[in-house]
Amino acid sequence: MHDHNNIRLPEGSIEKETTTLNLGPTHPATHGVFQNILELDGERIIKADSTVGYIHRAFEKIAERRPYYQITPLTDRLNYCSSPINNMGWHLTCEKLLGVKTPKRVDYLRIIIMELARISDHLICNSIVGVDTGAYTGFLYVMQYRELIYEIYEEVCGSRLTTNIGRIGGFERNFTNTAFQKLEKFLKEYPGVLREFENLFTRNRIFVERTKGVGGISAERALNYGFTGPNLRAAGVDYDVRVHSPYSSYEDIDFIIPIGTTGDNYDRYQVRNAEMWESLKIIEQAYRKVQEFKGAESEVFHADVPAYYLPEKSDVYTKMEALIYHFKIVMGETEIPPGELYNSVEGGNGELGFYLISDGGRAPYRLHFRRPCFVYYQAFPELVTGGMLSDAIVTMSSLNLIAGEMDG
Amino acid sequence: MSLTNDIIKTRLTEKFGDLLSAWEEPYGMLTFTAASDQNLKVMNFLKEELGFNFLTDITAVNYPDRKGEELAVVYHLHNLVDNIRMRFKVFAPVEKPDIYTATGIFSSANWMERETYDFFGVNFVGHPDLRRILNVDEMDYFPLRKEYPLEDQTRIDKDDEMFGR
Amino acid sequence: MARPVRFNIKQKDTSDWGINIASAPQGHMGEGFFATSLDKVVGLARKNSIWPLPFATSCCGIEFMATMGSHYDLARFGSERVGFSPRQCDLLMVMGTIAKKMGPVVKQVYLQMAEPRWVLAVGACASSGGIFDTYSVLQGIDQVVPVDVYVPGCPPRPEAIIDGVLKIQELVHNESLRRRNSDKYKLLLESYGIQ
């Protein structure tokens, strides 16, 4: 018989009635790296304690070193499922600081790209909620159409996921005919796919039972916790930055804001689904408006600000002013007005804010990202205590927690 | 009658008077500085009387040149009904950066203050659980202060000259 | 009486499909048996049935999801079953930035894997820290675990990730059976502090 005198249990662990479970940073259910230490009584959660920071990349400190146009690749990596929205948000902030006004065609093209990114983000979220309730097929069907969106990004900027799309003042090149053809193909084929995806989930008995009444939050608590985006709209508050402080000519486009009632997982799924239909409508309207520009106007893809937008290389080699502007922009001698401003856009998860303090130098003095995921993840213990462990998994994925945005 | 920046300024000055200073409106957003122990009273007044019931952001800025006021904690508030945003700042010296916590008024302040503590070392008095959130727990300095560099100083294999530091 | 087969009975002409049958390893063929050396058979079997563990932390993880999708199918190379338990997996695919806080977790997962195990560092952040040369990011996972193949890119295209997996398959195919007990391998593990 072996001697077990060397085994020591922690103090009080024999008398304890609850189990401590570490839903650790690496887990198939946590889509992203964040940790939850749960106290369980059987299957019921008594207490939840979250730890984040497993992918803290110090974006704010890096930004104090980089000139304004080099911060765009950093913003890509915030909410990487919908990186064009982050890029455009940063460009809009810089344009507000520098006083640059973009032409209408650029605004409509930006709207098309941002709404494609929003569809791509909500697709991942909804299909992952399906995967967590056991339905893997929806995810595979829908990834095929995310490939189409990636192909459109590739035509415009060359890269699939971390796009670094656009420049301060517009885009780096005009949209080619291939890009528009791919966009038309997407607009034609995607509604059918979305309807098929909806049919799989919306009235599916198993999905409804797993998600209805789970992880709900009331509107006042949601506002107190700083929820924004689809999570807040599912709780019943119709706050959308695109409508409240319109940017990039969203005021010319006609769309509704879908809201839910109880703020539970099913409402979040429904709100994201409805937002995808609205995004399709927005893209169609913006595309029609872009096609109305004829002749010379249809070649406009950036604002006329040579002080901040790099001139054409052929001009740099032949004209003196273009050469000087090129030199000044690259070497950081352009006049950046000192000031502080806060600008926000409607990201895939809510209000993505940029608080920028400029002291007139080449790099910002202080740049702070107001990241929606970080703010609303604080409410997670309140959403899951009292529920079952498997409900916590579904709540975690329906909140659309992107670790890159949460830690930043 | 809907709220405008002037109405907010008038009502705040009649309630607090001299405790608020440095009024300005960069890019249309009302900004002012409050005395460092008044932040909760100002926030309560804004929430109850003027309807600013959404805390958008709490962050801090390090101004090493302003002696005695090196750390500025910046609050952004939002009135969703009248669609007005505003910000106010509270300054604290770097030797004793004590600011009262806002977790009693807004639950979203909890992690935002932990992040500010992690990056700048601002001590929020009365916070239920003030510890580091994004960095490793063993870190003994506050990285976003201007005196500390970006890169990891304990590395021996990356050559400073080649990596342009 | 058995029913006759009614569908899919027409002989297909596969001459221009570009299908190549892989050649058998060197060995002696006889009536109903094929004799070859053990490491060739084991290498062939192992390489076509790798069970990966996707340790996806950030953006490269989304590209991995696209690689597993039907457009750039990774399953056709034998990696159909991705597992999340290190006890059951052969290949640790680290995709995304690893911060200093996460370093011990990667090491722990690596230690829990059973030999033979391989590590694939996907993306610039896992290979060398990527664009994040900061105080909080581990400058490459080879600071904590020994890595076999590095896939550069930010994020690497799905074709590049598949190329990385194919290189791992080559390593698996050509690995000698005694490598994991050799002195050189033991020295490698000791340099990482792994017994």
Side-chain angles (χ1 to χ4, degrees), chain A residues 80-97:
Chain A
Y80 34 80
C81 297
S82 57
S83 31
I85 302 186
N86 312 338
N87 292 145
M88 301 293 166
W90 172 242
H91 292 315
L92 288 163
T93 310
C94 289
E95 285 164 15
K96 199 167 162 186
L97 176 74

Side-chain angles (χ1 to χ4, degrees), chain B residues 15-16 21 29 39-40 47 53 57 60 63 91-92 113 128 134 136 155 157 164:
Chain B
K15 172 107 176 140
F16 291 99
S21 56
M29 190 185 282
N39 62 337
L40 290 188
K47 183 178 180 191
N53 66 343
D57 200 18
Y63 292 106
F91 285 87
E113 289 180 351
L134 292 178
V136 279
R155 305 261 344 271
D157 53 344

Side-chain angles (χ1 to χ4, degrees), chain A residues 25-28 32-33 51-59 61-62 66 73-74 76-77 80-81 124 128 136 139-140 143-144 146-147 150-151 154 158-162 403-404, chain C residues 53-60 62-63 65-72 82 84 96-102 105 109 125 131-137 154-159:
Chain A
T26 158
H27 190 276
V33 277
T51 315
V52 294
Y54 287 96
I55 194 172
H56 174 57
R57 298 179 274 195
F59 284 129
K61 186 91 184 170
I62 299 179
R66 303 259 169 273
L74 287 183
D76 263 340
R77 281 128 179 110
Y80 34 80
C81 297
I124 287 205
I128 297 284
Y136 189 52
F139 172 71
L140 285 178
M143 286 307 268
Q144 188 71 355
R146 286 196 82 234
E147 293 291 327
Y150 280 170
E151 280 182 26
E154 260 186 316
S159 119
R160 287 157 52 100
L161 183 70
T162 46
Chain C
L53 196 172
F55 197 99
T57 43
S58 65
C59 347
C60 289
I62 308 287
E63 281 296 59
M65 280 171 21
T67 313
M68 286 300 288
S70 36
H71 205 95
Y72 296 102
V82 290
F84 288 92
T97 320
I98 301 295
K100 295 209 170 108
K101 209 167 175 178
M102 195 66 184
V105 179
V109 170
C125 293
I131 64 175
F132 302 108
D133 188 4
T134 75
Y135 57 85
S136 67
V137 171
C154 192
R157 279 196 64 105
E159 289 99 334

